[in-house]
Every structure is written in C-alpha cells, then in structure tokens.
Amino acid sequence: SGIAIAAKAINPDIKIIAAEPLGVNEAADIYASKRLGELLALPKTKTLADGLQARLGDLTWPVVKSQVDDVIVVTEKEIVAAMKLIYERMKVVVEPSGAVGLAAVLNPDFQQKYNSGAGGGGGKMANVGVILCGGNVDLSSVEFWESWTRRWQSLKST
C-alpha cells in the first residue's frame, strides 16, 4: 500500500496492479475484497510466499481500495517459475514473495488485460515496473546445492 501511495503521488495516472498469491487454500483476500468493494476476512493464505500472508486490515484496506487499480492472482507454480526465471536470466535470488510481481506479469490474466488491448486503456502497456525483493531463501531446503553436486559427480563418471 505504501508503494501505491508514493507512485500515485508522483503520477496520479499510473496504474497500480497488485500481485497476490492464491495459495493452496484459495484465500486471496485483496483480490476478493477489491472484487466485492468491501473488506473481507478470509483465512491466512497457505503459500510459499510467506511474506505475503498478512491480511488486509482497517488501515490498509482504504489505501488498497482507492489506490490499487487491479489485482492479479498467481498460483504457487507460477511463483516458482518466476523465481526460476529471475535466477536464470538475472542471476539474482529472490524469495517467493519477491517473485510474485513477475509471476503476475507473466500470468495469462495480466497478458490478456494489459497486453492484448482488451483492457488497461485500450492498448498495450508501454512500460511495466516490477518490484523484486527479498533474498530470504534457504537454498538447501530446495535441494539446490545437492543438484549441483549430482551434476559435478556425473561429470566424473563420463
């Protein structure tokens, strides 16, 4: 909500598109609240993006309601794919919460609304900014180093 306030203060015409994990329990409260136009109390989202598990409240809802133009909801699979793409292309490690923005831009809903001319001002978006943050990743928990060990060990046998 703070980024939305700052961005809209600099450029009132900017579109703020929030990215939210659906979670395995389908508890995307920002999306649901924006859709109905009222603050909803949903359960905590069960997601890899644990930094985005906080719920909307009385202080953040008015900001989100007035400053956020749309919400794109992403799956766990899309979050992991975005993390992998960021690592492969940028050589940057981001935590799942930090990859949700890119996952949203790559999401078919975003592409249809904002890159096909079907929404978002009648044409393709010329500029899209994505905030990447957080390197809070335990690479050993996803067998990252083990996979590299297996690769070099396979080289010895060839």
Side-chain angles (χ1 to χ4, degrees):
S1 57
I3 291 170
I5 292 170
K8 291 275 187 176
I10 294 168
N11 179 0
D13 295 327
I14 196 169
K15 282 204 173 291
I16 302 295
I17 303 165
E20 182 177 29
L22 179 62
V24 296
N25 59 337
E26 299 185 6
D29 69 330
I30 298 171
Y31 175 79
S33 295
K34 282 289 288 183
R35 192 166 175 208
L36 292 178
E38 63 185 64
L39 179 59
L40 298 176
L42 294 178
K44 184 177 180 180
T45 309
K46 294 180 182 176
T47 177
L48 292 169
D50 58 351
L52 298 176
Q53 288 179 320
R55 304 288 75 198
L56 279 174
D58 294 335
L59 297 176
T60 53
W61 168 240
V63 175
V64 169
K65 184 177 180 182
S66 67
Q67 303 294 316
V68 174
D69 298 296
D70 196 3
V71 181
I72 301 292
V73 178
V74 298
T75 65
E76 302 302 293
K77 183 177 181 179
E78 290 172 317
I79 295 169
V80 171
M83 288 175 66
K84 183 178 178 193
L85 182 63
I86 293 165
Y87 181 75
E88 289 174 347
R89 300 285 173 94
M90 299 175 68
K91 309 305 183 226
V92 173
V93 176
V94 296
E95 62 189 63
S97 299
V100 168
L102 179 60
V105 171
L106 298 173
N107 180 285
D109 289 342
F110 181 93
Q111 294 298 319
Q112 181 183 12
K113 287 180 180 181
Y114 300 105
N115 282 337
S116 69
K124 291 186 177 187
M125 284 194 159
N127 299 299
V128 176
V130 178
I131 298 169
L132 302 176
C133 61
N136 186 18
V137 177
D138 181 1
L139 297 175
S140 66
S141 70
V142 293
E143 298 183 9
F144 179 83
W145 299 116
E146 290 82 358
S147 69
W148 282 103
T149 301
R150 285 191 299 274
R151 285 182 75 183
W152 72 258
Q153 287 175 340
S154 71
L155 292 173
K156 291 193 312 188
S157 63
T158 59

